[in-house]
Amino acid sequence: MAGTLADMKARVADELSRADLTSQIALAISDAIALYQTKRFYFNETGPNGSSFNTVANQEVYTATDDPDIPYMYDVDDVFVTVGVNNFRVKRIDPTIYRINQMPNFKGQPYQYMFLNQTFSFSPIPNAVYPMQIVGHYKLAAPASDSEANNKWMTDAERLIRSCAKRFLYQDILLDADAAVACQAAEIEAYDTLKAASAGMIRNGFIQPQAF
């Protein structure tokens, strides 16, 4: 199997023995991906250096404008600031504590952060450009086209997404409860298999800093 969205659409249509559900199959696959994007697997974590962006001098708050991954960080393991060749861990603090201790004129190398409402806020407010690394579970995008290669939802999670999409189709379109239950069993098996693999492969959420 080539592992593209087109391949999955064709296979689902073949397994349903229906050539007349083109739009419904596409929507079911999209819904299946959306359902599992919030679940953490070994393939939807940030890379070893995290999702990276640079701070801006005198800017406290960072959003999708600064890094498109920020609104889609479902689970933040760690944040690091790079100074020279060294990585320093930035400590996460409670939003209430952050606000209580907030000092608009306190600027320097960030050593604390708040993640709230899909935004990062840093304290002290950065006084210069600092490379930041955000490490954790993020929203891995669905394929952008039928022919996109190497999308993990179409490769590593192919059976999970295909089984879930068929469940949606039997449940909502074809109104076949027994077939929906059978697809759900296959979906659960695929999910359990991926989670078991992930348990041994997911990173521990820490990068060992070179200096403190």
Side-chain angles (χ1 to χ4, degrees):
M1 174 175 290
T4 66
L5 179 57
D7 296 322
M8 182 176 289
K9 288 177 177 178
R11 184 167 179 179
V12 170
D14 183 60
E15 291 175 350
L16 295 179
S17 297
R18 296 289 297 262
D20 59 337
L21 298 177
T22 303
S23 61
Q24 293 92 335
I25 289 172
L27 289 172
I29 292 173
S30 294
D31 287 347
I33 293 173
L35 177 65
Y36 283 103
Q37 279 174 323
T38 60
K39 305 296 183 182
R40 186 167 185 163
F41 302 105
Y42 60 84
F43 54 79
N44 58 359
E45 293 187 308
T46 58
N49 292 323
S51 180
S52 302
F53 63 92
N54 291 330
T55 62
V56 177
N58 303 316
Q59 179 178 324
E60 179 183 5
V61 178
Y62 295 82
T63 65
T65 302
D66 306 285
D67 179 0
D69 286 338
I70 287 177
Y72 303 108
M73 294 297 303
Y74 293 126
D75 190 12
V76 178
D77 294 334
D78 267 312
V79 175
F80 294 89
V81 57
T82 302
V83 181
V85 296
N86 298 318
N87 293 326
F88 296 88
R89 192 179 186 192
V90 184
K91 181 181 179 182
R92 184 171 187 169
I93 60 174
D94 179 83
T96 300
I97 301 300
Y98 185 95
R99 293 304 183 197
I100 290 173
N101 295 330
Q102 192 172 26
M103 292 181 284
N105 295 322
F106 182 33
K107 299 176 182 178
Q109 176 187 322
Y111 60 79
Q112 294 180 326
Y113 77 94
M114 171 180 69
F115 185 57
L116 183 68
N117 194 27
Q118 298 181 307
T119 64
F120 282 96
S121 300
F122 294 105
S123 177
I125 297 171
N127 64 339
V129 174
Y130 294 98
M132 308 299 295
Q133 302 170 13
I134 313 300
V135 183
H137 165 207
Y138 73 109
K139 182 180 181 179
L140 179 64
S145 67
D146 280 0
S147 60
E148 179 183 328
N150 302 317
N151 184 284
K152 295 297 184 179
W153 297 119
M154 299 294 104
T155 55
D156 296 51
E158 189 275 340
R159 184 166 180 249
L160 174 65
I161 300 305
R162 178 166 47 85
S163 298
C164 182
K166 289 194 297 180
R167 173 170 68 86
F168 287 156
L169 289 162
Y170 279 123
Q171 174 182 290
D172 301 327
I173 304 299
L174 301 176
L175 305 181
D176 187 334
D178 291 338
V181 169
C183 289
Q184 186 173 41
E187 178 186 347
I188 292 171
E189 182 181 49
Y191 176 76
D192 289 344
T193 299
L194 269 181
K195 290 301 288 185
S198 298
M201 297 173 66
I202 282 180
R203 59 180 301 282
N204 62 15
F206 295 91
I207 293 176
Q208 181 62 49
Q210 298 177 31
F212 288 94

